[in-house]
Amino acid sequence: AAKAAGKNRVQVFSPALLDGDQTTALETELRTAASRGEFVVHYQPIVATRDGRCTAVEALVRWAHPTHGLLGPDAFLDAAERTGVINRIGEQVLRQACAAAASWEDGGRPVALHVNASPSQLAHPRFVTVVRECLTEHALAPKQLIIEITESTVLDSPSVQATLDVLAGLGVGLAVDDFGTGYSALTTLRTLPVDIVKIDKSFVAGAATEVADQAVLEAIAQMAARLGLETVAEGVEDLDQQRFVERAGITAVQGYLHQHPVPAAELTAWLARAHT
Ligand code: C2E
Ligand code: CA
Ligand code: CA
Ligand code: CA
């Protein structure tokens, strides 16, 4: 895993390219990249605390830039969002990821697929169409696809809310990402058809040492259990964090301790190896 992580690590890239008045040039570059298929998807396992099985993977986009190397989302997502190219990139991510994940299983159970969606993607009428096509084309059960949104995505947007209701009607799952960092966390759980709560890695970082973080983790785990929701602790990097998170009753973990985000072929190999 360490070797794979080195090869697949994204560049820390100065955002100079993405600055100020160069929006048009960047927009052109993003569109060209999309036509050339330069956006690739890496996959990071989500592992059940109960039995160590991989229950799901999260799709994370990278830009295989011809001169700058492999760029992480922080280098280009804001610009993609501003220019609307995110809708094209998002469609490519969804199609690539569904094609890859459809055949994955662990211990005889299918591995679900988590895909991130931004507000503008969810407000776009094409999003639901693409989801339907992907499910049909790859014979994916709707509940095997989970859309990840952040709390702020949903505020004050009736079209986003409508999309989420349609997806829930199809049986597609919904996860709230970075849970605990927005100011409306509890409202989100009351108003949306949420299935999974992903606890932000800032809380997980102090899981072994900080009393305040431990209290937050325990409280979220208890609340989620009472609401019948799954919980994922993000950013689990060491065994002490893993042990605390397990004891707190969180149902799954994701982080470098288990595996970094890797290309599809490496995820296939990881699933084939004994990883529990
Ligand atoms: P996120 O959804 O919160 O994804 C988790 C991020 O944490 C990923 O960063 C992942 O590589 C990183 N991570 C995983 N395990 C660990 C760990 O143990 N420790 C630490 N410190 N970090 C860990 P990444 O891949 O750079 O993605 C950044 C963000 O970009 C994502 O945050 C998500 O909000 C966004 N994003 C990624 N792919 C997509 C996409 O296809 N569409 C959209 N709309 N957004 C995406
Ligand atoms: Ca996410
Ligand atoms: Ca649901
Ligand atoms: Ca997150």
Side-chain angles (χ1 to χ4, degrees):
K3 199 168 153 228
K7 179 161 46 89
N8 298 312
R9 185 151 296 150
V10 295
Q11 306 295 315
V12 180
F13 177 61
S14 130
L17 172 76
L18 318 178
D19 255 8
D21 298 333
Q22 301 182 349
T23 301
T24 315
L26 177 63
E27 181 174 355
T28 307
E29 205 190 343
L30 286 169
R31 284 191 197 289
T32 307
S35 336
R36 290 182 181 157
E38 288 173 6
F39 293 102
V40 297
V41 184
H42 284 192
Y43 303 88
Q44 186 178 35
I46 296 171
V47 174
T49 44
R50 191 169 50 85
D51 59 5
R53 291 290 181 190
C54 175
T55 55
V57 295
E58 179 174 4
L60 295 159
V61 69
R62 277 91 182 84
W63 180 0
H65 194 284
T67 53
H68 298 298
L70 196 62
L71 303 181
D74 291 346
F76 61 88
L77 267 191
D78 282 354
E81 191 75 30
R82 264 199 325 271
T83 55
V85 187
I86 187 65
N87 290 301
R88 253 187 99 183
I89 298 172
E91 179 171 342
Q92 294 184 358
V93 167
L94 200 54
R95 290 187 189 281
Q96 270 185 56
C98 286
S103 65
W104 285 335
E105 55 154 63
D106 194 20
R109 293 183 181 215
V111 170
L113 172 67
H114 288 227
V115 177
N116 295 284
S118 70
S120 58
Q121 287 177 265
L122 290 167
H124 201 285
R126 195 167 158 73
F127 189 80
V128 171
T129 309
V130 176
V131 165
R132 281 181 203 275
E133 283 176 16
C134 285
L135 295 177
T136 309
E137 192 174 330
H138 303 288
L140 272 174
K143 67 171 201 281
Q144 292 299 115
L145 178 65
I146 289 115
I147 302 299
E148 293 196 5
I149 60 161
T150 55
E151 295 153 16
S152 52
T153 300
V154 193
L155 293 177
D156 304 325
S157 173
S159 57
V160 169
Q161 176 84 47
T163 300
L164 295 177
D165 289 340
V166 172
L167 292 173
L170 290 174
V172 170
L174 181 64
V176 182
D177 209 349
D178 306 338
F179 188 80
T181 57
Y183 63 87
S184 63
L186 305 179
T187 303
T188 309
L189 295 188
R190 259 187 21 214
T191 55
L192 289 180
V194 175
D195 304 291
I196 302 173
V197 166
K198 297 192 74 178
I199 306 169
D200 191 66
K201 50 179 174 276
S202 60
F203 299 112
V204 177
T209 51
E210 304 299 321
V211 174
D213 290 337
Q214 295 178 339
V216 169
L217 291 168
E218 282 169 344
I220 295 175
Q222 279 172 28
M223 179 182 62
R226 286 207 51 184
L227 294 170
L229 306 175
E230 303 282 316
T231 36
V232 179
E234 298 190 301
V236 173
E237 296 181 353
D238 62 45
L239 270 174
D240 291 337
Q241 293 167 347
Q242 163 90 23
R243 286 194 197 102
F244 182 86
V245 155
E246 250 181 79
R247 266 207 313 275
I250 289 164
T251 55
V253 297
Q254 178 179 1
Y256 299 160
L257 175 66
H258 291 278
Q259 178 60 296
H260 288 248
V262 291
E266 279 175 49
L267 204 278
T268 304
W270 182 85
L271 285 169
R273 286 198 304 270
H275 53 261
T276 53

